Amino acid sequence: MNAPMPSRTEEEPVDLGDLPRSVGFMIRMAQAINYESFFRTFEDKTLKPGEFSVIWVIALNPEIKQGTLAQTLNIKPAHMTKLVQRFVNAGLVDRTVPPEDRRSIRLTLTDAGRTYFSKHRAGFLKVHDTEGIGLTRDETEQLLELLQKLVFKGRR
Amino acid sequence: MNAPMPSRTEEEPVDLGDLPRSVGFMIRMAQAINYESFFRTFEDKTLKPGEFSVIWVIALNPEIKQGTLAQTLNIKPAHMTKLVQRFVNAGLVDRTVPPEDRRSIRLTLTDAGRTYFSKHRAGFLKVHDTEGIGLTRDETEQLLELLQKLVFKGRR
DNA sequence: TATTGTTATACTCTATAACTATA
DNA sequence: TATAGTTATAGAGTATAACAATA
Protein backbone atom coordinates (compact mmCIF):
# COMPACT_ATOMS: atom_id res chain seq x y z
CA MET A 1 0.00 0.00 0.00
CA ASN A 2 2.39 2.66 -1.16
CA ALA A 3 0.72 5.23 -3.34
CA PRO A 4 -2.94 5.78 -2.50
CA MET A 5 -3.62 5.64 -6.21
CA PRO A 6 -2.93 7.47 -9.45
CA SER A 7 -1.07 9.99 -7.37
CA ARG A 8 -0.04 13.07 -9.22
CA THR A 9 3.25 13.32 -7.42
CA GLU A 10 4.68 12.94 -10.89
CA GLU A 11 6.23 15.88 -12.68
CA GLU A 12 5.41 14.52 -16.09
CA PRO A 13 1.75 14.32 -16.94
CA VAL A 14 0.61 10.99 -18.33
CA ASP A 15 -1.81 10.74 -21.23
CA LEU A 16 -4.27 7.90 -20.73
CA GLY A 17 -6.20 8.61 -23.91
CA ASP A 18 -9.48 6.69 -23.97
CA LEU A 19 -8.31 4.21 -21.37
CA PRO A 20 -10.74 5.65 -18.78
CA ARG A 21 -13.49 4.73 -21.23
CA SER A 22 -12.76 1.05 -20.77
CA VAL A 23 -15.12 -0.42 -18.21
CA GLY A 24 -12.63 -3.16 -17.47
CA PHE A 25 -9.77 -0.77 -16.84
CA MET A 26 -11.83 1.49 -14.62
CA ILE A 27 -13.14 -1.42 -12.61
CA ARG A 28 -9.59 -2.60 -12.03
CA MET A 29 -8.53 0.83 -10.87
CA ALA A 30 -11.61 1.14 -8.67
CA GLN A 31 -10.87 -2.17 -7.05
CA ALA A 32 -7.37 -1.08 -6.12
CA ILE A 33 -8.74 2.08 -4.51
CA ASN A 34 -11.35 0.12 -2.70
CA TYR A 35 -8.91 -2.44 -1.42
CA GLU A 36 -6.77 0.34 -0.08
CA SER A 37 -9.73 2.05 1.57
CA PHE A 38 -10.72 -1.25 3.13
CA PHE A 39 -7.42 -1.58 4.93
CA ARG A 40 -7.48 2.05 5.97
CA THR A 41 -10.96 1.86 7.45
CA PHE A 42 -11.86 -1.66 8.47
CA GLU A 43 -11.19 -2.27 12.13
CA ASP A 44 -10.04 -5.85 11.87
CA LYS A 45 -7.06 -6.71 9.73
CA THR A 46 -7.08 -10.49 10.04
CA LEU A 47 -9.44 -11.16 7.15
CA LYS A 48 -9.20 -9.65 3.71
CA PRO A 49 -12.27 -8.42 1.82
CA GLY A 50 -12.66 -11.61 -0.18
CA GLU A 51 -12.28 -13.79 2.86
CA PHE A 52 -14.80 -11.80 4.82
CA SER A 53 -17.39 -12.26 2.10
CA VAL A 54 -16.94 -16.03 2.37
CA ILE A 55 -17.59 -15.85 6.12
CA TRP A 56 -20.57 -13.62 5.36
CA VAL A 57 -22.21 -16.10 3.02
CA ILE A 58 -21.61 -19.02 5.39
CA ALA A 59 -23.12 -16.96 8.21
CA LEU A 60 -26.27 -16.29 6.20
CA ASN A 61 -26.48 -19.83 4.82
CA PRO A 62 -25.55 -22.33 7.50
CA GLU A 63 -24.88 -25.83 6.16
CA ILE A 64 -24.11 -24.44 2.73
CA LYS A 65 -22.38 -26.86 0.38
CA GLN A 66 -18.77 -25.90 -0.28
CA GLY A 67 -19.32 -26.14 -4.02
CA THR A 68 -22.34 -23.89 -3.92
CA LEU A 69 -20.35 -21.36 -1.97
CA ALA A 70 -17.52 -21.45 -4.49
CA GLN A 71 -19.90 -21.04 -7.40
CA THR A 72 -21.77 -18.17 -5.77
CA LEU A 73 -18.66 -16.16 -5.02
CA ASN A 74 -16.89 -17.14 -8.22
CA ILE A 75 -14.04 -18.79 -6.40
CA LYS A 76 -12.37 -21.83 -7.94
CA PRO A 77 -12.96 -25.10 -6.05
CA ALA A 78 -9.24 -25.67 -5.56
CA HIS A 79 -8.87 -22.25 -4.01
CA MET A 80 -11.98 -22.67 -1.89
CA THR A 81 -10.45 -25.78 -0.37
CA LYS A 82 -7.51 -23.74 0.90
CA LEU A 83 -9.66 -20.88 2.12
CA VAL A 84 -11.89 -23.23 4.09
CA GLN A 85 -8.87 -25.03 5.55
CA ARG A 86 -7.61 -21.70 6.87
CA PHE A 87 -11.00 -20.85 8.34
CA VAL A 88 -11.24 -24.24 9.99
CA ASN A 89 -7.74 -23.86 11.41
CA ALA A 90 -8.66 -20.40 12.66
CA GLY A 91 -11.64 -21.94 14.43
CA LEU A 92 -14.20 -19.90 12.51
CA VAL A 93 -15.83 -22.64 10.43
CA ASP A 94 -17.04 -26.21 10.97
CA ARG A 95 -17.18 -28.80 8.19
CA THR A 96 -19.67 -31.63 8.19
CA VAL A 97 -20.30 -34.45 5.76
CA PRO A 98 -24.06 -34.87 5.22
CA PRO A 99 -25.39 -38.44 5.09
CA GLU A 100 -27.46 -37.77 1.92
CA ASP A 101 -24.37 -37.12 -0.18
CA ARG A 102 -21.16 -38.16 1.46
CA ARG A 103 -19.03 -36.65 -1.31
CA SER A 104 -20.07 -33.15 -0.37
CA ILE A 105 -19.10 -30.94 2.53
CA ARG A 106 -21.33 -28.53 4.37
CA LEU A 107 -20.03 -25.43 6.09
CA THR A 108 -21.30 -23.65 9.18
CA LEU A 109 -19.79 -20.97 11.40
CA THR A 110 -18.56 -22.00 14.82
CA ASP A 111 -19.57 -19.93 17.82
CA ALA A 112 -16.32 -18.03 17.42
CA GLY A 113 -17.13 -17.52 13.76
CA ARG A 114 -20.57 -16.15 14.57
CA THR A 115 -19.09 -13.82 17.15
CA TYR A 116 -16.51 -12.60 14.67
CA PHE A 117 -19.17 -12.07 12.04
CA SER A 118 -21.54 -10.13 14.30
CA LYS A 119 -18.71 -7.95 15.48
CA HIS A 120 -17.54 -6.89 12.03
CA ARG A 121 -20.66 -7.21 9.89
CA ALA A 122 -21.69 -3.56 10.10
CA GLY A 123 -18.18 -2.27 9.56
CA PHE A 124 -17.72 -4.39 6.47
CA LEU A 125 -20.55 -2.66 4.65
CA LYS A 126 -19.84 0.77 6.05
CA VAL A 127 -16.27 0.72 4.79
CA HIS A 128 -17.42 1.18 1.26
CA ASP A 129 -19.98 3.81 2.10
CA THR A 130 -19.74 7.39 1.02
CA GLU A 131 -16.76 8.29 3.19
CA GLY A 132 -13.35 7.83 1.69
CA ILE A 133 -14.78 6.90 -1.64
CA GLY A 134 -15.41 10.41 -2.90
CA LEU A 135 -18.97 9.81 -4.01
CA THR A 136 -22.14 11.25 -2.61
CA ARG A 137 -24.71 8.94 -1.09
CA ASP A 138 -26.85 9.21 -4.24
CA GLU A 139 -23.93 8.45 -6.49
CA THR A 140 -23.00 5.45 -4.38
CA GLU A 141 -26.55 4.14 -4.69
CA GLN A 142 -26.46 4.68 -8.43
CA LEU A 143 -23.13 2.90 -8.71
CA LEU A 144 -24.42 -0.04 -6.69
CA GLU A 145 -27.50 -0.34 -8.89
CA LEU A 146 -25.45 -0.39 -12.05
CA LEU A 147 -22.98 -2.91 -10.67
CA GLN A 148 -25.82 -5.12 -9.47
CA LYS A 149 -27.38 -5.02 -12.90
CA LEU A 150 -24.05 -5.88 -14.48
CA VAL A 151 -23.28 -8.70 -12.07
CA PHE A 152 -26.65 -10.30 -11.54
CA LYS A 153 -28.20 -9.55 -14.91
CA GLY A 154 -31.68 -9.66 -13.44
CA ARG A 155 -31.05 -12.91 -11.62
CA ARG A 156 -31.49 -11.37 -8.21
CA MET B 1 -13.18 -19.91 -16.84
CA ASN B 2 -15.73 -22.44 -15.74
CA ALA B 3 -18.95 -20.85 -14.66
CA PRO B 4 -19.69 -17.55 -16.39
CA MET B 5 -20.57 -16.16 -12.99
CA PRO B 6 -23.04 -16.48 -10.16
CA SER B 7 -24.67 -19.17 -12.20
CA ARG B 8 -27.99 -20.33 -10.86
CA THR B 9 -27.35 -23.95 -11.77
CA GLU B 10 -27.64 -24.50 -8.05
CA GLU B 11 -30.69 -26.15 -6.58
CA GLU B 12 -30.32 -24.39 -3.28
CA PRO B 13 -30.82 -20.65 -3.35
CA VAL B 14 -28.11 -18.66 -1.60
CA ASP B 15 -28.92 -15.68 0.60
CA LEU B 16 -26.41 -12.89 0.13
CA GLY B 17 -28.14 -10.51 2.51
CA ASP B 18 -26.77 -7.00 2.17
CA LEU B 19 -23.57 -8.16 0.52
CA PRO B 20 -24.63 -6.65 -2.83
CA ARG B 21 -24.73 -3.33 -1.00
CA SER B 22 -20.99 -3.44 -0.50
CA VAL B 23 -19.27 -1.42 -3.20
CA GLY B 24 -16.12 -3.44 -2.70
CA PHE B 25 -17.87 -6.77 -3.09
CA MET B 26 -19.77 -5.69 -6.17
CA ILE B 27 -16.64 -4.30 -7.78
CA ARG B 28 -14.88 -7.60 -7.19
CA MET B 29 -17.75 -9.52 -8.76
CA ALA B 30 -17.90 -7.09 -11.66
CA GLN B 31 -14.23 -7.51 -12.33
CA ALA B 32 -14.57 -11.26 -12.55
CA ILE B 33 -17.38 -10.89 -15.08
CA ASN B 34 -15.41 -8.40 -17.03
CA TYR B 35 -12.31 -10.52 -17.10
CA GLU B 36 -14.35 -13.39 -18.42
CA SER B 37 -15.99 -11.22 -21.07
CA PHE B 38 -12.56 -9.98 -22.09
CA PHE B 39 -11.36 -13.46 -22.91
CA ARG B 40 -14.58 -14.32 -24.66
CA THR B 41 -14.53 -11.26 -26.90
CA PHE B 42 -11.02 -9.94 -27.34
CA GLU B 43 -9.41 -11.24 -30.50
CA ASP B 44 -5.90 -11.62 -29.24
CA LYS B 45 -5.21 -13.87 -26.26
CA THR B 46 -1.50 -13.20 -25.79
CA LEU B 47 -1.90 -10.21 -23.49
CA LYS B 48 -4.16 -10.00 -20.50
CA PRO B 49 -6.22 -6.88 -19.73
CA GLY B 50 -3.71 -5.47 -17.27
CA GLU B 51 -0.81 -6.07 -19.61
CA PHE B 52 -2.57 -4.45 -22.50
CA SER B 53 -3.18 -1.29 -20.48
CA VAL B 54 0.58 -1.05 -19.84
CA ILE B 55 1.25 -1.27 -23.58
CA TRP B 56 -1.48 1.32 -24.08
CA VAL B 57 0.09 3.87 -21.76
CA ILE B 58 3.56 3.34 -23.23
CA ALA B 59 2.07 3.81 -26.69
CA LEU B 60 0.52 7.13 -25.73
CA ASN B 61 3.54 8.28 -23.75
CA PRO B 62 6.72 7.31 -25.53
CA GLU B 63 9.85 7.60 -23.38
CA ILE B 64 7.78 7.32 -20.22
CA LYS B 65 9.76 6.63 -17.07
CA GLN B 66 9.16 3.12 -15.75
CA GLY B 67 8.39 4.46 -12.29
CA THR B 68 5.84 6.94 -13.61
CA LEU B 69 4.17 4.13 -15.49
CA ALA B 70 4.03 1.96 -12.37
CA GLN B 71 2.59 4.79 -10.30
CA THR B 72 -0.01 5.69 -12.90
CA LEU B 73 -1.33 2.15 -13.24
CA ASN B 74 -0.94 1.32 -9.57
CA ILE B 75 1.49 -1.47 -10.24
CA LYS B 76 4.27 -2.16 -7.76
CA PRO B 77 7.78 -1.36 -9.04
CA ALA B 78 8.96 -4.93 -8.46
CA HIS B 79 6.11 -6.27 -10.51
CA MET B 80 6.59 -3.67 -13.22
CA THR B 81 10.16 -4.84 -13.64
CA LYS B 82 8.94 -8.32 -14.51
CA LEU B 83 6.18 -7.08 -16.79
CA VAL B 84 8.61 -4.92 -18.72
CA GLN B 85 11.10 -7.77 -18.98
CA ARG B 86 8.41 -9.89 -20.60
CA PHE B 87 7.49 -7.11 -23.02
CA VAL B 88 11.11 -6.58 -23.94
CA ASN B 89 11.58 -10.30 -24.49
CA ALA B 90 8.44 -10.34 -26.63
CA GLY B 91 9.94 -7.57 -28.72
CA LEU B 92 7.18 -5.10 -27.95
CA VAL B 93 9.07 -2.58 -25.83
CA ASP B 94 12.46 -0.85 -25.89
CA ARG B 95 14.24 0.35 -22.76
CA THR B 96 16.64 3.27 -22.80
CA VAL B 97 18.65 4.95 -20.07
CA PRO B 98 18.43 8.73 -20.42
CA PRO B 99 21.66 10.69 -19.90
CA GLU B 100 19.99 13.22 -17.54
CA ASP B 101 19.27 10.57 -14.93
CA ARG B 102 21.08 7.32 -15.46
CA ARG B 103 19.24 5.61 -12.63
CA SER B 104 15.95 5.76 -14.49
CA ILE B 105 14.65 3.81 -17.44
CA ARG B 106 12.48 5.11 -20.24
CA LEU B 107 10.11 2.90 -22.19
CA THR B 108 8.99 3.11 -25.79
CA LEU B 109 7.17 0.71 -28.07
CA THR B 110 9.16 -1.00 -30.79
CA ASP B 111 7.78 -1.06 -34.32
CA ALA B 112 6.31 -4.45 -33.53
CA GLY B 113 4.80 -2.99 -30.37
CA ARG B 114 3.21 -0.13 -32.27
CA THR B 115 1.81 -2.54 -34.84
CA TYR B 116 0.40 -4.72 -32.09
CA PHE B 117 -1.12 -1.72 -30.37
CA SER B 118 -2.75 -0.31 -33.51
CA LYS B 119 -4.18 -3.67 -34.35
CA HIS B 120 -5.88 -4.26 -31.03
CA ARG B 121 -6.52 -0.75 -29.72
CA ALA B 122 -10.09 -0.49 -30.94
CA GLY B 123 -11.00 -3.99 -29.81
CA PHE B 124 -9.67 -3.37 -26.34
CA LEU B 125 -12.17 -0.58 -25.67
CA LYS B 126 -15.01 -2.22 -27.52
CA VAL B 127 -14.75 -5.38 -25.48
CA HIS B 128 -16.20 -3.65 -22.47
CA ASP B 129 -18.90 -1.89 -24.39
CA THR B 130 -22.57 -2.55 -24.02
CA GLU B 131 -22.54 -6.02 -25.57
CA GLY B 132 -22.02 -8.92 -23.27
CA ILE B 133 -22.13 -6.66 -20.28
CA GLY B 134 -25.89 -6.43 -19.99
CA LEU B 135 -26.06 -2.67 -19.71
CA THR B 136 -27.53 -0.18 -22.13
CA ARG B 137 -25.28 2.41 -23.70
CA ASP B 138 -26.59 5.08 -21.32
CA GLU B 139 -26.04 2.90 -18.31
CA THR B 140 -22.52 2.12 -19.45
CA GLU B 141 -21.81 5.84 -19.75
CA GLN B 142 -23.23 6.44 -16.31
CA LEU B 143 -21.15 3.63 -14.85
CA LEU B 144 -18.01 5.00 -16.47
CA GLU B 145 -18.68 8.48 -15.09
CA LEU B 146 -19.14 7.18 -11.57
CA LEU B 147 -16.05 5.00 -11.74
CA GLN B 148 -14.02 7.89 -13.12
CA LYS B 149 -15.17 10.09 -10.28
CA LEU B 150 -14.29 7.39 -7.79
CA VAL B 151 -10.89 6.68 -9.28
CA PHE B 152 -9.67 10.10 -10.29
CA LYS B 153 -11.45 12.16 -7.63
CA GLY B 154 -11.45 15.19 -9.89
CA ARG B 155 -7.81 14.83 -10.78
CA ARG B 156 -8.47 14.25 -14.43
C1' DT C 1 -19.74 -42.86 -15.69
C1' DA C 2 -20.45 -38.39 -13.45
C1' DT C 3 -19.88 -35.49 -9.43
C1' DT C 4 -17.62 -33.41 -5.02
C1' DG C 5 -13.90 -32.14 -3.23
C1' DT C 6 -8.66 -32.64 -2.76
C1' DT C 7 -3.92 -32.50 -4.21
C1' DA C 8 -0.28 -30.97 -7.09
C1' DT C 9 1.80 -27.86 -10.32
C1' DA C 10 2.64 -23.63 -12.44
C1' DC C 11 2.10 -18.90 -13.19
C1' DT C 12 0.52 -14.18 -11.98
C1' DC C 13 0.14 -10.59 -8.70
C1' DT C 14 1.09 -8.42 -4.25
C1' DA C 15 4.10 -7.06 -0.44
C1' DT C 16 8.48 -6.44 1.59
C1' DA C 17 13.10 -5.92 2.19
C1' DA C 18 17.77 -5.85 0.76
C1' DC C 19 20.59 -4.51 -2.86
C1' DT C 20 23.02 -1.56 -7.03
C1' DA C 21 23.95 2.37 -9.29
C1' DT C 22 23.33 6.54 -9.61
C1' DA C 23 22.10 11.34 -7.82
C1' DT D 1 21.40 10.37 2.09
C1' DA D 2 17.75 9.77 -1.18
C1' DT D 3 15.99 7.90 -5.49
C1' DA D 4 15.20 4.42 -9.58
C1' DG D 5 15.14 0.20 -10.48
C1' DT D 6 16.35 -4.79 -9.52
C1' DT D 7 16.46 -9.09 -7.09
C1' DA D 8 14.77 -12.38 -3.85
C1' DT D 9 11.36 -14.31 -1.07
C1' DA D 10 6.88 -15.38 0.57
C1' DG D 11 1.94 -15.44 0.24
C1' DA D 12 -2.46 -15.16 -2.21
C1' DG D 13 -5.19 -15.94 -6.25
C1' DT D 14 -6.04 -18.32 -10.70
C1' DA D 15 -5.99 -22.21 -13.95
C1' DT D 16 -5.51 -27.08 -14.94
C1' DA D 17 -5.28 -31.67 -14.51
C1' DA D 18 -5.13 -35.89 -12.04
C1' DC D 19 -7.04 -38.23 -8.25
C1' DA D 20 -10.18 -40.52 -4.36
C1' DA D 21 -14.49 -41.28 -2.65
C1' DT D 22 -19.07 -41.46 -3.56
C1' DA D 23 -23.16 -41.32 -6.43
Side-chain angles (χ1 to χ4, degrees):
Chain A
M1 233 51 53
N2 261 338
M5 251 283 83
S7 66
R8 305 274 111 257
T9 325
E10 289 308 320
E11 336 73 37
E12 331 180 35
V14 179
D15 177 13
L16 295 184
D18 278 340
L19 206 48
R21 295 198 45 72
S22 157
V23 175
F25 174 74
M26 291 308 294
I27 285 179
R28 259 183 0 102
M29 296 294 273
Q31 199 187 8
I33 287 195
N34 216 271
Y35 198 79
E36 206 257 321
S37 123
F38 181 90
F39 281 107
R40 203 177 42 236
T41 329
F42 198 48
E43 319 88 40
D44 189 89
K45 314 291 178 189
T46 53
L47 291 194
K48 284 182 291 181
E51 297 171 332
F52 196 86
S53 65
V54 173
I55 293 293
W56 182 294
V57 175
I58 299 176
L60 265 54
N61 303 269
E63 305 274 301
I64 190 174
K65 274 197 344 199
Q66 184 166 313
T68 306
L69 180 61
Q71 222 179 323
T72 302
L73 293 177
N74 207 36
I75 293 175
K76 293 284 166 289
H79 184 208
M80 185 56 82
T81 296
K82 289 185 201 166
L83 276 173
V84 169
Q85 275 167 353
R86 269 186 263 154
F87 292 148
V88 170
N89 289 341
L92 297 173
V93 169
D94 263 347
R95 301 158 29 122
T96 57
V97 174
E100 336 84 70
D101 182 349
R102 304 197 28 242
R103 294 169 306 180
S104 66
I105 286 178
R106 295 193 172 270
L107 305 172
T108 306
L109 292 192
T110 60
D111 285 346
R114 272 187 288 274
T115 303
Y116 181 87
F117 175 65
S118 311
K119 193 170 167 192
H120 298 293
R121 171 183 195 148
F124 182 71
L125 287 189
K126 223 172 71 186
V127 162
H128 312 289
D129 250 27
T130 312
E131 341 111 50
I133 255 189
L135 296 184
T136 66
R137 174 112 293 279
D138 275 2
E139 288 169 336
T140 305
E141 285 303 323
Q142 228 181 9
L143 178 60
L144 280 172
E145 257 177 61
L146 290 167
L147 289 174
Q148 284 162 13
K149 186 162 180 190
L150 181 120
V151 170
F152 299 124
K153 299 205 174 79
R155 264 194 289 262
R156 202 171 289 271
Chain B
M1 233 53 51
N2 261 340
M5 251 283 82
S7 67
R8 304 273 112 259
T9 325
E10 290 308 321
E11 337 72 38
E12 330 182 35
V14 178
D15 177 13
L16 295 184
D18 278 339
L19 205 48
R21 295 199 45 71
S22 157
V23 175
F25 174 74
M26 290 309 293
I27 285 180
R28 257 180 4 99
M29 296 294 272
Q31 197 187 10
I33 287 195
N34 216 271
Y35 198 79
E36 206 257 320
S37 123
F38 181 91
F39 281 107
R40 203 178 42 236
T41 329
F42 198 47
E43 320 88 41
D44 188 89
K45 313 291 178 190
T46 52
L47 292 195
K48 284 181 290 181
E51 296 171 332
F52 195 85
S53 65
V54 172
I55 294 293
W56 182 294
V57 174
I58 299 175
L60 266 53
N61 302 270
E63 306 274 302
I64 190 174
K65 276 200 337 203
Q66 184 166 312
T68 306
L69 180 61
Q71 222 179 323
T72 302
L73 293 177
N74 207 35
I75 294 174
K76 293 282 166 290
H79 185 208
M80 185 55 83
T81 296
K82 289 185 200 165
L83 276 173
V84 169
Q85 275 168 354
R86 269 186 264 155
F87 292 148
V88 170
N89 290 341
L92 297 173
V93 169
D94 263 347
R95 300 157 29 123
T96 56
V97 174
E100 335 85 69
D101 183 350
R102 304 196 29 242
R103 293 169 306 180
S104 67
I105 286 178
R106 295 192 173 269
L107 305 172
T108 307
L109 292 192
T110 60
D111 285 345
R114 273 186 288 273
T115 303
Y116 182 87
F117 175 65
S118 311
K119 194 171 167 192
H120 298 294
R121 171 184 196 146
F124 182 71
L125 286 189
K126 223 171 72 184
V127 161
H128 311 289
D129 250 27
T130 312
E131 343 110 49
I133 257 190
L135 297 184
T136 67
R137 175 111 292 279
D138 275 2
E139 287 169 335
T140 305
E141 287 302 322
Q142 225 182 11
L143 178 59
L144 280 172
E145 257 178 60
L146 290 167
L147 289 174
Q148 284 162 13
K149 186 161 181 190
L150 184 124
V151 170
F152 300 123
K153 298 204 174 79
R155 265 195 289 261
R156 202 171 288 271

